[in-house]
Amino acid sequence: MIIYRTPLRIGLFGGSTDLQDFINYKGYGQVINFACNLYTTCILSQDRFGLNSYENKNVIMYKKREEESNISDIKNKLIRTCMQDLKQKKTIVLLSDITSKSSGLSSSSSIISSIFASLIDLENNSMSKMQFIKEVIKLEKEIVPLCGFQDSYGCILGGLNNIKVTKNNKHTVEKISCCFLKEELNMYLLKVPIVSDSNDVLPTVCDSKNFNIREEILDIMLSAQTAMVNENMDYFLELFKASWDLKKKTSSKIMCNELEEIEKEI
């Protein structure tokens, strides 16, 4: 039995500058995010006298249960994509600390990372962390073609990071130390009854009309890094609100009436 878990990530600054259309335009994208203490978990096993061995079936368990002989028949797109080159029948169980759909916390990147790490371990393979990240991004792009780089980097690297990726696919990762984020600010996640699909939202964000807005988001991210290094919490919070206000302008599908009402209340 092989068990891997991967944290979810929370984006602070630079979101939408990590999308490939903006990187092609600007030459680079840059974000600040951190891995949180919520996880997805993959349990991978192969039975000796059960469905895997005797009935030649893959057993997949998440909120549903699937038993399929052919990988192409697996309905869970994340698992099907990760298992496409697997020869032997396996049992995969997925667990998550949150509702994985539409969480906004990169749950798909986290789940793919957990599954992929388990499969690499199964094959007794090894690869560098950066190579692993690139493979996870490649897998995720099969599911969400327009996804950016920050999700996989944020989930896999761990900690609080400033991540920059250039048009030539060169990356720079800088660890950030910020005391007020750990000791003074209380951050809460609020579950809302809204479901969205990144495959619906991202095409509206990836619009050349948004380049100016996303350049402003990038400028704020650079200022935020300075605020964090200098431990200037008031300026950090000012920039955080400004960045969010700009982010909402990149797509009409980011907000809705229900979310606007919730935002007013908090």
Side-chain angles (χ1 to χ4, degrees), residues 229-243:
V229 170
N230 294 333
E231 297 291 346
N232 189 336
M233 185 171 71
D234 291 338
Y235 189 37
F236 169 91
L237 293 173
E238 178 184 325
L239 292 169
F240 189 81
K241 183 179 185 306
S243 182

Side-chain angles (χ1 to χ4, degrees), residues 19-155:
L19 303 176
Q20 193 62 48
D21 73 316
F22 183 80
I23 295 173
N24 292 340
Y25 162 76
K26 184 71 175 177
Y28 73 97
Q30 196 165 351
V31 301
I32 295 174
N33 64 27
F34 66 91
C36 67
N37 60 350
L38 298 171
Y39 298 86
T40 66
T41 302
C42 174
I43 303 172
L44 175 67
S45 67
Q46 181 178 31
D47 62 44
R48 298 175 63 187
F49 303 103
L51 291 174
N52 301 148
S53 303
Y54 276 90
E55 296 190 29
N56 199 35
K57 287 185 177 181
N58 293 295
V59 179
I60 313 297
M61 289 180 279
Y62 44 111
K63 65 179 179 181
K64 298 179 180 179
R65 179 185 174 99
E66 298 188 47
E67 297 177 10
E68 300 291 352
S69 297
N70 298 318
I71 291 174
S72 60
D73 293 330
I74 295 173
K75 295 179 177 61
N76 186 298
K77 194 180 297 185
L78 291 175
I79 298 175
R80 185 175 69 243
T81 301
C82 292
M83 292 181 68
Q84 55 193 341
D85 296 324
L86 192 64
K87 305 302 181 186
Q88 296 176 312
K89 305 306 179 186
K90 302 296 177 188
T91 294
I92 291 182
V93 180
L94 294 182
L95 305 171
S96 177
D97 286 337
I98 62 162
T99 302
S100 58
K101 188 173 183 180
S102 303
S103 69
L105 302 176
S106 306
S107 57
S108 60
S109 294
S110 176
I111 291 170
I112 291 172
S113 299
S114 296
I115 298 172
F116 190 51
S118 301
L119 294 174
I120 288 175
D121 195 322
L122 175 70
E123 301 293 335
N124 293 315
N125 292 330
S126 63
M127 61 178 65
S128 70
K129 184 170 284 189
M130 288 305 164
Q131 183 183 358
F132 182 86
I133 290 172
K134 289 178 180 179
E135 291 297 322
V136 169
I137 291 175
K138 188 188 302 182
L139 286 168
E140 184 161 20
K141 281 187 176 293
E142 293 186 34
I143 302 164
V144 186
L146 294 177
C147 71
F149 66 77
Q150 79 148 317
D151 295 352
S152 298
Y153 275 84
C155 292

Side-chain angles (χ1 to χ4, degrees), residues 9 11 17 52 127 151 157 160 167 184 191 204 209 215 227 231 233 237 256:
R9 75 101 186 99
T17 74
N52 301 148
M127 61 178 65
D151 295 352
L157 289 176
L160 176 63
K167 188 176 180 179
E184 297 183 54
K191 180 176 173 56
T204 65
K209 295 177 183 178
E215 282 189 298
E231 297 291 346
M233 185 171 71
L237 293 173
C256 61

